[in-house]
Amino acid sequence: MSDNLELVKKHIGEYPDFPKKGILFKDIFTALRNGPVCQALKHLLVEHVRQTCPDAKVIVGLEARGFLFSLMIAAELGISCVPIRKKGKLPGPCVQYEYELEYGTDIFEIQKDSIEPGQKVVVIDDLLATGGSMEAANKLVQQIGGVVEQNIVVIELTTLGGRNKLESSGWKVHSFIQYHDVE
């Protein structure tokens, strides 16, 4: 597994001063432009879920990059794939959760009937920073009766404290790549 991880890590792009001055943006899309890296990442994600959450019945992907990974894992494991989106982008009855951003608030939604009560769920996104969006997703899953087994991210910016926020609420977190020196 470490060869796959090193291959993915090697292809993560960096963009200084994006989206604003002082930020060193870690870009998963540069890795996804390479077919063998996509295969390595798929293998890492699927095997991790297989080994750590064998009873998971739903993979929840967060808008928008989490969608890339949720379908890939769900299809490989033959389980459900459910999106969490920003307000107003999902049809039918939805449950909402408002969460705080650095400057203001946003609202996530999940379709009310997308997870059956008691189903075990893995929540995935590309990156964990402050943990606000992942926390909102976990609360939405719980509101409709799902049980969050684990949160998985490809990249974690450790200095921003997202892991601590999630783990202090009792949620498990796994990241494949950690950066300790990112603003």
Side-chain angles (χ1 to χ4, degrees), residues 3 11 21 34 60 63 69-71 76 93 102 104-105 110-111 114 122 136 144 154 157 178:
D3 288 345
H11 286 84
K21 190 160 181 61
N34 181 303
V60 168
E63 186 169 329
F69 310 122
S70 61
L71 177 60
E76 186 71 23
E102 191 174 354
T105 61
I110 191 169
Q111 289 170 313
S114 61
V122 172
I144 62 171
V154 178
L157 307 179
Q178 301 82 33

Side-chain angles (χ1 to χ4, degrees), residues 86-174:
K86 300 243 171 116
K87 182 180 177 180
K89 295 188 177 186
L90 288 172
C94 292
V95 175
Q96 297 181 348
Y97 185 83
E98 185 174 339
Y99 63 102
E100 292 193 28
L101 300 167
E102 191 174 354
Y103 301 106
T105 61
D106 209 343
I107 297 174
F108 263 168
E109 291 184 331
I110 191 169
Q111 289 170 313
K112 198 173 193 173
D113 60 354
S114 61
I115 297 172
E116 294 176 23
Q119 278 189 315
K120 293 183 179 178
V121 175
V122 172
V123 179
I124 188 159
D125 205 4
D126 67 320
L127 184 127
L128 177 62
T130 64
S133 59
M134 192 69 78
E135 178 185 46
N138 290 344
K139 288 184 177 185
L140 275 174
V141 168
Q142 288 179 328
Q143 279 182 346
I144 62 171
V147 177
V148 177
E149 288 287 292
Q150 190 173 112
N151 295 277
I152 299 173
V153 294
V154 178
I155 300 168
E156 178 182 359
L157 307 179
T158 62
T159 57
L160 298 178
R163 175 183 293 271
N164 294 339
K165 180 179 200 164
L166 296 169
E167 288 179 344
S168 70
S169 295
W171 293 306
K172 294 179 187 173
V173 178
H174 179 79

